[in-house]
Amino acid sequence: LDPHSSFMPPEAFGELQDDTKGEFSGIGIVITMKDGILTVVSPIEGTPAYNAGIQAGDVIIRIDGKSTKGMALWEAVKMMRGPRHKVVNITVIRTDAQEAIEFPLKRDLIPMTSVRSGILKPGFGYLRVTNFRMSTQDEIKKHLTRMEEESKGLNGLIMDLRDNPGGLLAQAVKVSDLFLSKGDIVSIKGRTESTKQVYKAQNDEEDRKYPVVILINGGSASASEIVAGALQDHSRALILGSPSFGKGSVQTVRPLKEGFGIKYTIARYYTPSGRSIQGKGITPDIEVEYEIIEKKKKK
């Protein structure tokens, strides 16, 4: 099977539910196996890992001094989660760093809220989506309604999906549908014709025709790429930033006897124009590298 597939003992299978509901204590990163190597998809905003400076693409080589070579994904997750305020040491290697970097991280409760917003200037809204959970679409609708009422209608919206590692497919479809009235959103294709599924936009009574700019980077994955790809292919949004992660495979989870489970890949995601997201990601319409802009001092 591929790197996104795994056999899960009862403790790992039970914890799988934590990613979309409930609350857990950890360091706040989404990880994957990339070419057999434990890799950070992205840190979750506002968590110990994010605040310490762990970045998308960092390769985790040790957890509390134990090598991650040959370690299963669920084992790594189990080692990083644990009692709140207890320290776990993560050692990473980074492409542009000469030596390995060690991060002593104090575990904390991982925030479940996925949406924030604000008015940048009259008529222009900013929507920050950090992940796609069960309530994400409902949260987004509330934020959009508030901003639309506050500005007496929006003239433009920035949707920030940077370092958003994804989440639930159904929520990615619903969020895309908020800005599309017709056409395909995403299709799923496996090895057989019977696995093919196409998700289409539904005509909504609410009219959101204002321009949209979507921000992405190397930490934008999975559901984020579905939204960005759908709105890009329909010329509904301008995509700005750097190429996304490229997590375009579909997993299903099956329970086994005595609490065990198996997660395995069954298909791939394709954008409305037929582009595969897997390993390629979404290429921005305008590429802009991330930098921290400092205010210039007045002379």
Side-chain angles (χ1 to χ4, degrees), residues 176-196:
S176 302
D177 202 5
L178 291 174
F179 302 96
L180 296 171
S181 58
K182 61 180 180 179
D184 296 351
I185 292 175
V186 65
S187 58
I188 297 175
K189 299 175 190 174
R191 286 189 295 183
T192 62
E193 191 63 28
S194 62
T195 60
K196 184 176 179 180

Side-chain angles (χ1 to χ4, degrees), residues 39 55 73 81 122 124 127 139 159 166 191 226 250:
T39 306
Q55 299 176 7
L73 199 60
R81 289 182 183 177
F124 293 91
L127 188 71
E139 288 181 50
M159 188 189 307
R191 286 189 295 183
I226 288 171
V250 186

Side-chain angles (χ1 to χ4, degrees), residues 1 3-19 72-78 81 251-265:
L1 296 176
H4 299 297
S5 304
S6 58
F7 171 76
M8 295 176 289
E11 59 267 34
F13 189 53
E15 285 181 0
L16 187 65
Q17 308 306 315
D18 290 338
D19 293 334
L73 199 60
W74 70 266
E75 290 179 282
V77 170
K78 188 179 179 184
R81 289 182 183 177
Q251 283 75 44
T252 188
V253 179
R254 300 287 182 193
L256 304 174
K257 289 181 180 180
E258 298 175 10
F260 289 83
I262 185 169
K263 179 176 73 169
Y264 59 98
T265 298

Side-chain angles (χ1 to χ4, degrees), residues 35-57:
D35 301 323
I37 300 167
L38 194 62
T39 306
V40 176
V41 175
S42 78
I44 299 169
E45 191 172 333
T47 63
Y50 183 92
N51 296 334
I54 285 182
Q55 299 176 7

Side-chain angles (χ1 to χ4, degrees), residues 33-238:
M33 283 293 180
K34 195 172 185 180
D35 301 323
I37 300 167
L38 194 62
T39 306
V40 176
V41 175
S42 78
I44 299 169
E45 191 172 333
T47 63
Y50 183 92
N51 296 334
I54 285 182
Q55 299 176 7
D58 282 352
V59 172
I60 301 173
I61 57 171
R62 286 190 295 275
I63 303 171
D64 275 341
K66 184 178 179 181
S67 172
T68 59
K69 189 175 181 181
M71 186 181 288
L73 199 60
W74 70 266
E75 290 179 282
V77 170
K78 188 179 179 184
M79 287 187 72
M80 288 186 281
R81 289 182 183 177
R84 192 180 182 191
H85 302 316
K86 294 286 185 181
V87 173
V88 57
N89 290 291
I90 307 296
T91 308
V92 308
I93 53 176
R94 189 174 289 169
T95 307
D96 57 356
Q98 298 287 333
E99 299 177 351
I101 311 167
E102 187 159 322
F103 293 93
L105 303 171
K106 189 181 286 186
R107 296 184 184 97
D108 206 344
L109 292 178
I110 305 306
M112 294 290 109
T113 306
S114 64
V115 184
R116 297 201 312 275
S117 68
I119 298 294
L120 298 173
K121 65 178 186 178
F124 293 91
Y126 171 83
L127 188 71
R128 172 72 173 133
V129 186
T130 57
N131 44 56
F132 289 85
R133 303 192 185 279
M134 289 179 180
S135 60
T136 298
Q137 185 224 21
D138 291 335
E139 288 181 50
I140 287 177
K141 286 177 80 171
K142 287 176 186 174
H143 282 268
L144 288 176
T145 300
R146 181 186 57 77
M147 288 192 290
E148 287 160 0
E149 289 174 351
E150 195 175 319
S151 294
K152 296 185 173 67
L154 289 177
N155 297 320
L157 175 72
I158 293 174
M159 188 189 307
D160 193 345
L161 299 181
R162 290 174 299 174
D163 290 323
N164 181 325
L168 299 174
L169 167 65
Q171 288 295 312
V173 171
K174 287 179 179 179
V175 170
S176 302
D177 202 5
L178 291 174
F179 302 96
L180 296 171
S181 58
K182 61 180 180 179
D184 296 351
I185 292 175
V186 65
S187 58
I188 297 175
K189 299 175 190 174
R191 286 189 295 183
T192 62
E193 191 63 28
S194 62
T195 60
K196 184 176 179 180
Q197 284 180 278
V198 180
Y199 294 86
K200 294 182 177 289
Q202 307 296 317
N203 201 356
D204 196 342
E205 292 177 6
E206 294 178 72
D207 186 17
R208 294 190 176 90
K209 288 197 164 62
Y210 42 77
V212 178
V213 173
I214 294 179
L215 307 181
I216 63 170
N217 65 3
S220 307
S222 186
S224 297
E225 296 173 296
I226 288 171
V227 174
L231 270 60
Q232 184 182 49
D233 280 3
H234 285 289
S235 300
R236 183 60 191 86
L238 180 82

